[in-house]
Amino acid sequence: MTDRNPLADAIDTALTGNDSERWPEKIPVRDRIALLLDPGSWVEDGLLANALTDGMPADGVLTGLGTVDGRPVAVIAHDFAVKAGSWGELTVEKQIRILERADRDLLPVFYLVDSAGGRLTDQFGFFHGSRGASRIFQLQVALSGRVPQICCLHGPSAAGGAYMPAFTDWVGMVNGNASMYLASPRVAEKVTGEKTTLEEMGGAMMHATVSGCGDEVFDSDWEAIAAARHLLSYLPDDWRSAPAAAEPRLPRRSDWPADVIPSTGGYDVRDVIDRVVDADSFFEIKARWAMEMVVGLARLNGSVVGIVANQPSVRSGAIFVDSADKAARFISMCDAYNIPLLFLQDVPGFMVGVAIERQGIIRHGAKLVTAMASAEVPKITVILRKAYAAGYYAMCAPGFEPRATLALPGAAIAPMSPEASTNAIYAKKIDAIDDPVEREQFVADKIAEQAADADLLNVASRLIVDAVVQPGDLREEIVKRFRSARGWSRSGNRRNHVISPV
């Protein structure tokens, strides 16, 4: 894969026994299903749909049941070799029936999407009625947060059908083949006058880096399918259960040199994650989008956890509109599927300025805070270096009831950085000092006073931090804290919430 996707090792493991070299870039639909499911487990429905019409086998979509690592799942797989996987009346009916089955039996659903959209020659079949395509979306939303819905986008997902991937929990897109768009470039030119390309308007890399509609980009069909199989191992069968535990593994790295978290400047928070979670278990989500925030699933001593971490190496880890949405949706998914949350804070706050306010940073930030505050799964917060302003709140401050707030030595918590708060409090007095040397000394003294207020010992003495932990002891401390929360329960016996699209 290009730049070797971080899921590559997991993909290689998932495909042990399969010779990836024999798979072409565009795999026929039945071979896609064979890659996805356990051998011999596929049970197909509606095979003879439209059997009396020439060139329409199964009416362009395969639906049925199978198992992934022994776990029953439902499958929708579009056949690009039949009318470009387009939807007619029976195509839609087959998809509705399998989703109704998944709804009734609470089965995870895999979508292998490769469809040119609705057949305009059959519009009264797929578009208008109560068994039209709108019923598919109603069922997808009904399933959201109740069972995992995982999408591999192998080709186009056009017009109204573009919403099928959008309602799923994860979308893996095949670079160069996959696309999502409400209108083709030709239609867009007719409507708006703008000239563009399919790749620019709805290609895999655009959606993974700009729109956020794609979670990961792969170079081939088999890689996307293998990643989808691997993702299911982190998720429960349905909202009533928890993800299965695996054999514990030690972290990839156990050393903590000083430059892992330097006193100032940027660093890659993944280097911290690698030293906390089980080796090679971090499954990052939306890695190419809103990169100032890192989210993903991992195993901690064998148990699944969700990680929400600021990324100091990208825009100082400040929270922007997209990163707020990214974290909010991930938190919502973890809460729906009973996955405990670990927050790793190194945040200067929400981004400020005219442009960001006009983008609605308050509204998007509120979505993040709402998702985090509403999550009932056990939460633990770790202050890695700094936690300033409302970013501290959004990353699960003590007022939002984490099971514990931990901090590494030297961490600081304050409404602003000492430099910013000094300027805010003493701006007029600083301006009134004419002597540059005196002014510089005054500012330095006031910064030192503000830093003392944010000092970790001062903060911990006020019960804001539950424990100060040495880096080498951080993993074990988190493991113990989560272990003590194993008996957690929800506030009521209710269906979990929908996982809203970004």
Side-chain angles (χ1 to χ4, degrees):
M1 286 182 285
T2 304
D3 296 328
R4 186 151 178 90
N5 187 283
L7 300 177
D9 292 336
I11 289 168
D12 291 343
T13 301
L15 284 177
T16 299
N18 288 304
D19 179 9
S20 63
E21 294 300 321
R22 73 186 180 90
W23 297 111
E25 187 176 347
K26 189 90 167 170
I27 301 176
V29 66
R30 292 191 181 277
D31 287 340
R32 290 173 181 170
I33 292 173
L35 273 174
L36 173 67
L37 299 177
D38 300 337
S41 69
W42 175 235
V43 180
E44 188 172 348
D45 296 327
L47 175 61
L48 298 180
N50 239 336
L52 299 180
T53 303
D54 290 340
M56 297 282 281
D59 208 49
V61 65
L62 278 58
T63 59
L65 305 177
T67 62
V68 173
D69 291 330
R71 299 167 60 182
V73 300
V75 178
I76 290 174
H78 300 134
D79 189 349
F80 64 89
V82 178
K83 297 288 184 181
S86 59
W87 295 7
E89 180 177 6
L90 296 184
T91 325
V92 170
E93 180 64 23
K94 288 177 68 174
Q95 293 176 97
I96 290 172
R97 288 185 182 189
I98 196 65
L99 290 174
E100 288 175 337
R101 173 71 176 272
D103 184 55
R104 182 172 64 248
D105 295 350
L106 284 183
L107 299 173
V109 184
F110 283 88
Y111 302 80
L112 307 183
V113 176
D114 196 339
S115 171
R119 287 180 211 140
L120 296 180
T121 55
D122 192 10
Q123 62 177 286
F124 283 99
F126 80 84
F127 185 72
H128 294 81
S130 61
R131 301 291 285 186
S134 61
R135 173 67 176 159
I136 293 174
F137 305 144
Q138 194 275 338
L139 286 164
Q140 284 190 277
V141 174
L143 287 166
S144 181
R146 295 174 65 229
V147 298
Q149 298 186 82
I150 299 173
C151 175
C152 295
L153 189 48
H154 299 280
S157 183
Y163 285 103
M164 176 173 273
F167 291 126
T168 65
D169 301 328
W170 181 86
V171 181
M173 302 182 70
V174 179
N175 201 21
N177 289 333
S179 58
M180 278 188 279
Y181 52 88
L182 296 181
S184 68
R186 183 166 58 87
V187 173
E189 183 179 355
K190 289 287 185 182
V191 174
T192 68
E194 63 182 347
K195 293 185 178 182
T196 184
T197 65
L198 183 58
E199 198 64 30
E200 182 182 24
M201 187 170 71
M205 199 58 73
M206 188 285 287
H207 281 303
T209 60
V210 180
S211 77
C213 291
D215 287 277
E216 190 52 271
V217 176
F218 302 90
D219 280 344
S220 63
D221 285 353
W222 67 265
E223 289 170 300
I225 292 169
R229 278 182 59 99
H230 186 58
L231 173 59
L232 186 66
S233 70
Y234 291 85
L235 302 174
D237 291 331
D238 59 65
W239 69 278
R240 302 168 301 183
S241 55
E247 191 68 27
R249 287 188 292 183
L250 293 174
R252 177 190 287 269
R253 301 287 300 273
S254 59
D255 61 321
W256 282 87
D259 61 354
V260 173
I261 305 178
S263 58
T264 60
Y267 64 91
D268 191 343
V269 76
R270 296 181 190 89
D271 290 337
V272 175
I273 294 170
D274 275 350
R275 288 166 167 79
V276 172
V277 304
D278 295 7
D280 304 318
S281 71
F282 185 49
F283 189 107
E284 189 169 354
I285 292 176
K286 297 189 186 298
R288 304 171 193 258
W289 183 62
M291 294 188 293
E292 64 274 6
M293 185 76 75
V294 172
V295 303
L297 301 169
R299 292 192 179 274
L300 188 63
N301 203 41
S303 297
V304 177
V305 297
I307 296 175
V308 182
N310 306 114
Q311 177 58 291
S313 67
V314 180
R315 303 203 280 192
S316 300
I319 301 173
F320 287 71
V321 166
D322 285 346
S323 45
D325 286 352
K326 175 179 176 176
R329 186 175 193 273
F330 178 73
I331 291 166
S332 178
M333 184 182 77
C334 288
D335 188 51
Y337 297 134
N338 307 309
I339 298 171
L341 285 161
L342 174 63
F343 292 84
L344 301 178
Q345 287 207 31
D346 193 339
V347 58
F350 283 86
M351 188 59 189
V352 298
V354 173
I356 201 78
E357 294 290 358
R358 289 182 175 184
Q359 291 169 27
I361 187 63
I362 296 171
R363 174 167 50 86
H364 291 271
K367 284 197 289 184
L368 169 54
V369 172
T370 298
M372 179 271 304
S374 301
E376 294 189 295
V377 294
K379 297 172 284 191
I380 292 176
T381 300
V382 179
I383 314 298
L384 298 178
R385 188 172 60 177
K386 63 183 180 297
Y388 293 150
Y392 168 57
Y393 287 172
M395 294 292 291
C396 200
F400 296 105
E401 300 185 301
R403 298 301 177 106
T405 299
L406 310 176
L408 297 186
I413 303 173
M416 291 183 180
S417 69
E419 294 79 7
S421 59
T422 294
N423 185 66
I425 297 170
Y426 300 105
K428 290 184 178 179
K429 192 161 186 177
I430 292 170
D431 289 342
I433 301 174
D434 294 327
D435 184 355
V437 175
E438 182 183 349
R439 186 191 309 118
E440 184 178 343
Q441 184 61 51
F442 177 83
V443 169
D445 291 344
K446 295 305 178 184
I447 287 175
E449 289 177 10
Q450 297 298 311
D453 285 343
D455 179 73
L456 186 57
L457 181 59
N458 184 38
V459 169
S461 70
R462 298 169 185 268
L463 295 181
I464 295 167
V465 168
D466 294 293
V468 178
V469 183
Q470 294 296 326
D473 299 327
L474 182 59
R475 170 185 161 90
E476 185 56 33
E477 184 72 20
I478 295 170
V479 168
K480 289 191 295 184
R481 299 275 183 172
F482 274 131
R483 185 184 296 134
S484 68
R486 282 180 179 169
W488 76 278
S489 61
R490 295 192 178 275
S491 57
N493 186 20
R494 60 174 177 82
R495 169 197 156 173
N496 285 13
H497 49 73
V498 166
I499 301 168
S500 296
V502 169

